[in-house]
Amino acid sequence: MTETHSSNRSRLYVLALLTALSAMTFMDRQILAVLLQPIKQEFGFSDLQIGLITGLGFALTFGLLGIPLGRLADRHERRGLIAWCRGIGGCIAALGALATGAGGLAASRAGAALGDAGGGAASMSILADLYAPSERSRAMSVFGVGAAFGALLALLLGPLFAQWWGWRVTLVIIGACVVLLSLVLRFTVHEPVRALTQVAASNADAAVKPTQSAVKLIWNEPVTRFLIVGAACALIAGLSIGSWNVALLARRFDLSLKQAGGISAVAALLSVAGSLFSGWLTDRLARSDVRWQIRIPVIGVGLAALFGLAYLLVSDELFALSLACMLIYSFFTAWWAPATYAALSLVVPVQRRATASAMVLMAGALLGNGVGPIAAGWLSDVLNTVWQGQGLRYALVVMMCTLLPGVWAFMRALAYYPRAYRQAHPTVAVAA
């Protein structure tokens, strides 16, 4: 791989800044999940309406912009794209403070969607140019920590800010922080040199006609198709639980918003630790056998499904056991992400790298943020007629089960990955 001319210190600075921006955008994305109770009380929303508010505005906006902005990142300067999208997105999100009903709140969620659509895939493309393949899973794990750290900030600071100043001021504060960091990125970071001759697949990609769809080419490759499907399944479960877990803890165990937020904050810390550990472990094991690049997601999603279902199905009286299962689930639920995004960058030609990441992010936006919270809210309302007060719990059991096809998809990707890696890196010895 052609090494960037940036020093190690500047690489770390770019990684830290991109991670901080991701964290603040995800904090804005998750803040309504933390503030569900006061917003629900003020407007009298049902669980279905809450699901539509938290998921629909984000999903629709990302669905429209995710792939086009990914393609733009593959062809043009990524630094400016990230700064503009994150900054404008922060402004739109802050306007949620002026909402007078469900429509205004749902529209404000489009801000976080614009920030992710223009910032997520482009950020990962930059990091893939800054870090060698042997370091890439760790770099992606640090960047991925931004989402978990953003959720942690939402859980810790959201209830405090809401208590001190109200939920409307809280939205303004978060949006302003996103805008400020976007300006810092725009004026302190230089666009890195793209590694255009990185792998043999990139040379083949140069011969692709402009009329051929990058999305179709990526989807037609079995390894990338199954990686995207596996990631989508993991995101449906993870984002559904993330959107509703504070409310579930409060309802199921009769906890205050502060207590439920504190427990969820510990869970978010464990997700941070799990993401960092899985990135380090993947890079270490993949040096001797590239199949570990996909085995780590298989193991992580499988264990997350096991402990996540145990958390939801254990009796309410066994609070300590249920809590322990939730915390273990939190550690494993992020294992798939660093290895998967790094795997995409290792087998997808550089000219389609941001587009491939955007496809994963779009699957998460449409299914994870869109279908997930909405379906969970609808199921909660329906199941409450059968299990009074337990509808949300069993709705989340259904959403957690989407991890099971995720395990299958990652196992299918594992079968194709060694061949795809050999084609992309013909001079590198690959274990059979």
Side-chain angles (χ1 to χ4, degrees):
M1 183 181 105
T2 302
E3 283 289 342
T4 178
H5 297 297
S6 303
S7 67
N8 203 41
R9 181 180 297 180
S10 66
R11 288 195 310 167
L12 291 174
Y13 173 75
V14 173
L15 176 58
L17 186 53
L18 291 175
T19 302
L21 261 172
S22 174
M24 293 309 303
T25 302
F26 202 86
M27 182 182 181
D28 171 66
R29 182 168 160 181
Q30 288 292 104
I31 194 63
L32 287 190
V34 177
L35 304 176
L36 283 181
Q37 293 303 104
I39 292 174
K40 184 174 181 177
Q41 291 168 4
E42 179 174 335
F43 294 106
F45 294 144
S46 68
D47 281 349
L48 175 57
Q49 286 175 306
I50 289 291
L52 288 168
I53 291 167
T54 56
L56 190 60
F58 185 95
L60 290 177
T61 304
F62 204 112
L64 290 171
L65 299 179
I67 298 299
L69 290 176
R71 293 298 293 146
L72 193 64
D74 279 331
R75 297 171 178 175
H76 301 285
E77 184 193 279
R78 295 158 292 183
R79 176 200 58 168
L81 178 66
I82 296 168
W84 277 105
C85 290
R86 297 284 202 201
I88 295 173
C91 291
I92 296 173
L95 290 175
L98 303 177
T100 58
L105 282 172
S108 75
R109 297 303 85 204
L114 174 60
D116 265 1
S123 295
M124 285 184 275
S125 176
I126 285 178
L127 294 177
D129 281 333
L130 292 177
Y131 287 88
S134 61
E135 305 172 301
R136 202 166 292 167
S137 292
R138 278 172 290 177
M140 295 297 181
S141 73
V142 173
F143 179 73
V145 159
F149 192 65
L152 177 63
L153 289 175
L155 291 164
L156 292 176
L157 300 182
L160 288 177
F161 288 175
Q163 181 181 346
W164 293 340
W165 303 303
W167 63 268
R168 296 178 187 273
V169 174
T170 300
L171 295 183
V172 173
I173 292 172
I174 298 171
C177 289
V178 173
V179 173
L180 178 61
L181 285 175
S182 299
L183 291 172
V184 173
L185 175 73
R186 176 62 183 82
F187 293 109
T188 65
V189 171
H190 298 289
E191 175 76 2
V193 176
R194 294 181 193 258
L196 292 178
T197 58
Q198 180 179 343
V199 293
S202 296
N203 297 327
D205 188 60
V208 174
K209 296 179 181 178
T211 55
Q212 289 183 273
S213 167
V215 173
K216 184 177 180 180
L217 289 168
I218 292 167
W219 185 255
N220 284 343
E221 284 295 323
V223 64
T224 51
R225 179 170 66 250
F226 285 117
L227 285 175
I228 292 168
V229 171
C233 292
L235 286 164
I236 291 173
L239 293 174
S240 297
I241 300 300
S243 294
W244 287 102
N245 197 45
V246 173
L248 175 67
L249 287 169
R251 297 180 195 180
R252 185 180 174 191
F253 300 113
D254 196 25
L255 302 175
S256 68
L257 182 62
K258 184 177 180 180
Q259 289 171 323
I263 292 171
S264 296
V266 175
L269 277 175
L270 284 171
S271 291
V272 169
S275 178
L276 291 173
F277 178 75
S278 71
W280 170 83
L281 185 64
T282 302
D283 277 344
R284 183 177 179 85
L285 295 177
R287 291 172 190 166
S288 57
D289 187 343
V290 298
R291 288 174 294 186
W292 280 106
Q293 194 75 43
I294 313 299
R295 286 172 179 164
I296 293 298
V298 171
I299 294 169
V301 173
L303 291 174
L306 175 65
F307 286 100
L309 289 170
Y311 157 57
L312 295 168
L313 295 175
V314 164
S315 171
D316 290 353
E317 287 73 30
L318 299 175
F319 173 70
L321 178 59
S322 179
L323 184 62
C325 289
M326 185 198 73
L327 296 178
I328 297 173
Y329 156 80
S330 300
F331 180 77
F332 287 111
T333 191
W335 268 38
W336 68 270
T340 299
Y341 285 118
L344 285 171
S345 76
L346 290 169
V347 298
V348 173
V350 68
Q351 293 90 339
R352 299 197 294 265
R353 186 187 287 155
T355 303
S357 296
M359 290 174 68
V360 176
L361 294 173
M362 190 174 76
L366 294 177
L367 300 176
N369 277 94
V371 174
I374 295 170
W378 174 75
L379 281 171
S380 175
D381 288 338
V382 171
L383 296 177
N384 261 328
T385 63
V386 181
W387 293 288
Q388 191 62 37
Q390 296 290 320
L392 180 58
R393 176 186 179 187
Y394 291 111
L396 293 182
V397 168
V398 175
M399 306 314 297
M400 187 70 75
C401 285
T402 59
L403 290 175
L404 301 178
V407 174
W408 170 83
F410 280 123
M411 291 181 69
R412 295 291 293 149
L414 176 60
Y416 291 101
Y417 185 74
R419 177 184 62 83
Y421 189 91
R422 278 194 298 268
Q423 290 178 344
H425 306 267
T427 62
V428 179
V430 178

